[in-house]
Amino acid sequence: MVIKEIISKMTLEEKARLCSGKNVWETEDISRLGIPSIMMADGPHGLRKQYDKSDNLGVNSSIPSTCFPTAATSACSFDRNLLKKMGEAVANECIEHDVDIILGPGVNIKRSPLCGRNFEYFSEDPYLTGELGAAFVSGAQGKGIGVSVKHYCGNNQEKLRNKVSSVIDERALREIYLAGFERIVKEKPYTLMCSYNRLNGEYASENKYLLTDILRDEWGFDGVVVTDWGACNDRVLGLVNGQDLEMPSSFGINDQKIIEAVKNGKLDEGILDRTVERILNLVFKCKNNDKSYSKQDNHLLAKEVADNSIVLLKNEGILPIKDESVGIIGKMAKVPRYQGSGSSRINPVRLENVFDCLTAQNKDFIYADGYLLETDKCINSLLEDAISIAKKVHIPIVFIGLTDSYESEGFDRTHIDIPEAHNRLVEEIAKVNPNVVVVLSGGAPVSMPWIGKVKGLINSYLSGESGAMSIVDILYGKVNPSGKLAETYPVKLQDTPSYSHFPGGNNAVYYAESIYVGYRYYEKKGQEVLFPFGYGLSYTTFDYRDIRLNKTGINDNEILEVSLTVKNTGRYPGAEVCELYVKALNPAVFKPVKELKGFEKVYLEIGEEKTVNIKLDRRAFSYYNVQVKDWVVESGFYEIIVGSSSVSENLTAKVFVHSHKEVPLYYDKEALENYYNLKKDFSVEDFRILYDKPLEPLNVKVKRPYDYNSTIAELSHTLVGKLFVRAVKKQIKKTTTDVLMQRMMLATLMDLPYRTLMSFSGDTFTKDLADGLLLIINRHYIKGLKKLLNKKKMES
């Protein structure tokens, strides 16, 4: 039966029901019409399937699956082919466990290193983000498993993520925050997940400009737009503006709103039919595939990803280790930090740690804990044991980093420090042994007050279930490190571009830095950094030579072909990432100094050389012109820069690009002087001029009457709200004994809009109960009690 024929036989009630989940993870099925349900599950660096039809796993349980390195880690591979293989592997596990859609990849930009969910995202750079995200999508969907690219758009912080308005100027929106999504849409993802937050005043789940004008009309997306779980605000407005599937179930509440809107003429049934058609296309596109994959193969692939992603940041001739005596210091060598916390937390099939890996290889070492994972405080007895070992060995290897309590979905960091006990451990060991090697774990940049006192630094990020073996192999030279940083490491938090404007107020956050995110900011400002974007060392050396352009002048509709030769001139086989940046030499509009527009990773044996070819299209030379609402190329000379990091200019060449459409300069250079020269911090007034529209207030006074978009934190200022929060806290403690999970759940709860409680509480928190409590909170006691009594009467 064709889809349009199925729709013609559906009742209005069935159509409305199909637009909401059946439960937390499945879509509705309608058996009389042969419409099956499909299942979704969390990603993005592995399968987290909580609900199983046969086992009925609990809310905090999930099936064992391969925990691959997180996106913050795998992005450092700069390897499209590897991300494609990872997408295929995750898809194979989805097939094995009857999952149709994996929720990922996460492609939000790392605006600030403080975002608690940065470990789930690829990069500060939109080009790298788009290329790697597209590769993952291609791999997964090539196996017949759909993806849900998330979170569209402007979800760059956890604080008040369900309500805050991300205020972003049009050019930054297009060049930085939408560009990764735009690239991935070319791979035709089955679904795209809209974010919780508002964008320039409108919820992403009902934002016509995002969902219809850009996504569908301009980019040609023909898949399903699914809400992030609980992100639906106005269900009917969402339908009108391009939101298709609400997840999880609304338990009939929003179904009824859709039905009423059609009956009273507020919603054209043709719009509903269009949405139902897209959902049915998705349902019937998902198919059963052959179940065949090897857990061991996936475990080894997870190691391959880690091998290629771990970054060697410092090496003063100390690595790789040969026959020297070694001390392994730090509890993280035994209890690894290998993934982040929150909805992406995987139950690994098999987890390795450095201590056991070394023992299995019969490596000779002595060990000390050095610190406790449960506290930031230095324990003198543990520190003394570590110092004693450091005095006895040639190379003390210290394992430190961000512990679980420091970064998680649900809350942002407030600083970029690691636990004080970890910092002090490095400092004290460096006093007694000059050959310190640090192995750092964590999902985001950190400060390093000891960096000048250590000889070696390996950044393992969050390297997945096989990451420990990768660390060992890199330490001992079996694997030559080839990872490059996908984000800049600042010297201190105050140096970051969004420092004065993160996380904003209780109503809005201003993206005042505009296009100057990450290295675009640091280079333009001339700001010293700890480690630059694209940086990473190797045990071997590479020579770049013979850059060639196919033309010295092109029209903007032509392809520029760049070629160069790279040779391994060192003593080890290894891989090098060739990074290509484009620099406008005399731009009339404000721009970063240069931007990444191409990269290739090449593996070279000792003495081997290869030719690297990179093609640049019109987009590589374009900026988004807000006046003509299009991508525009300025005629002029551009420098092509190829190097091993964003600050390395190994090879350069010039090309003249002629624009077919010259556009007059529309910026007031004097009024926007700070965006041209970055001489001072961006002020609200600077941003007001650039934004060129009235700014939403950062803060609004919270007072009665409270509504369905009031947060639980706001409601907690009332007596009923306090009692409610107290009851929920008790329930959270009953649900899990994991302290970090409790913290994440509580932080998430306090920022939740009141309306979302109905999505996550099932039949226990009904519309009547919600209405009644809200009336009481707003001091309409009699009306509220009547609602509650009516609910009880209906139940009886």
Side-chain angles (χ1 to χ4, degrees), residues 109-115 118 156 493 496 498-499 502 517:
I109 293 297
K110 298 181 181 184
R111 176 184 178 234
S112 166
L114 295 179
C115 176
N118 272 357
N156 307 103
L493 179 61
T496 58
S498 61
Y499 174 70
F502 184 96
V517 177

Side-chain angles (χ1 to χ4, degrees), residues 316 506 585 711 777:
E316 295 182 350
N506 69 4
L585 292 180
T711 65
I777 286 170

Side-chain angles (χ1 to χ4, degrees), residues 727-764:
V728 173
K729 282 182 179 178
K730 286 182 180 178
Q731 186 59 40
I732 287 174
K733 287 183 178 180
K734 286 181 183 177
T735 303
T736 177
T737 57
D738 186 324
V739 175
L740 176 63
M741 185 61 71
Q742 289 177 0
R743 181 185 174 194
M744 188 204 80
M745 291 173 72
L746 182 60
T748 301
L749 168 77
M750 298 306 285
D751 280 350
L752 280 178
Y754 183 65
R755 59 179 159 78
T756 60
L757 294 179
M758 287 178 286
S759 297
F760 295 109
S761 303
D763 295 331
T764 59

Side-chain angles (χ1 to χ4, degrees), residues 171 514-516 524 587-592 667 672 675-676 690:
R171 188 171 161 206
S514 185
I515 62 172
Y516 295 114
K524 184 85 169 187
V589 299
F590 64 84
K591 289 183 178 180
Y667 284 136
L672 295 172
Y675 289 97
Y676 276 87
L690 177 67

Side-chain angles (χ1 to χ4, degrees), residues 75-87:
C76 297
S77 72
F78 277 69
D79 193 326
R80 299 176 183 86
N81 292 331
L82 201 55
L83 265 293
K84 183 176 181 180
K85 286 167 67 175
M86 182 173 153

Side-chain angles (χ1 to χ4, degrees), residues 38 69 82 123-124 158 177-178 202 204 214 234 315 331 334 367-368 372 505 567 571 643-644 719:
I38 57 173
L82 201 55
S123 178
E124 66 189 29
E158 292 297 280
Y177 298 99
L178 286 178
E202 295 184 50
I214 295 177
D234 185 319
N315 186 21
K331 193 63 181 273
K334 275 190 173 180
Y367 171 82
L372 296 177
K567 182 176 182 179
R571 296 181 296 132
S644 57
L719 176 60

Side-chain angles (χ1 to χ4, degrees), residues 558-613:
E558 295 182 281
I559 300 294
L560 180 68
E561 297 178 10
V562 182
S563 65
L564 58 128
T565 300
V566 184
K567 182 176 182 179
N568 184 344
T569 56
R571 296 181 296 132
Y572 296 87
E576 171 70 331
V577 177
C578 304
E579 303 166 34
L580 187 152
Y581 297 83
V582 172
K583 176 180 182 178
L585 292 180
N586 292 293
V589 299
F590 64 84
K591 289 183 178 180
V593 174
K594 61 178 179 285
E595 298 177 281
L596 182 73
K597 295 299 179 182
F599 63 87
E600 290 294 335
K601 190 165 192 173
V602 290
Y603 179 85
L604 298 166
E605 295 290 345
I606 299 169
E608 184 182 11
E609 64 179 46
K610 287 182 181 177
T611 299
V612 175
N613 298 296

Side-chain angles (χ1 to χ4, degrees), residues 105-242:
V107 298
N108 293 101
I109 293 297
K110 298 181 181 184
R111 176 184 178 234
S112 166
L114 295 179
C115 176
R117 211 168 179 179
N118 272 357
F119 64 85
E120 273 195 64
Y121 305 142
F122 288 115
S123 178
E124 66 189 29
D125 182 79
Y127 178 80
L128 180 61
T129 292
E131 290 296 302
L132 297 182
F136 181 93
V137 170
S138 173
Q141 294 198 162
K143 291 284 186 176
I145 294 299
V147 300
S148 196
V149 185
K150 61 183 188 180
H151 310 88
Y152 186 74
C153 166
N155 182 183
N156 307 103
Q157 64 187 60
E158 292 297 280
K159 181 63 179 174
L160 290 170
R161 66 178 181 177
N162 294 276
K163 184 177 180 179
V164 75
S165 179
S166 298
V167 182
I168 310 175
D169 71 275
E170 179 72 5
R171 188 171 161 206
L173 182 65
R174 293 295 195 135
E175 293 185 17
I176 305 296
Y177 298 99
L178 286 178
F181 289 100
E182 181 181 3
R183 167 65 184 91
I184 296 169
V185 164
K186 292 178 182 177
E187 301 299 323
K188 298 192 174 297
Y190 288 12
T191 79
L192 183 142
M193 184 191 296
C194 62
S195 55
Y196 290 112
N197 54 282
R198 290 179 293 139
L199 177 72
N200 294 338
E202 295 184 50
Y203 279 100
S205 62
E206 57 199 38
N207 192 308
K208 179 178 179 293
Y209 185 58
L210 272 183
L211 302 181
T212 299
D213 298 350
I214 295 177
L215 182 62
R216 296 201 186 277
D217 295 347
E218 186 179 325
W219 296 350
F221 178 70
D222 60 1
V224 167
V225 173
V226 59
T227 66
D228 203 340
W229 268 230
C232 181
N233 177 50
D234 185 319
R235 187 66 188 100
V236 174
L237 186 59
L239 277 175
V240 171
N241 290 333

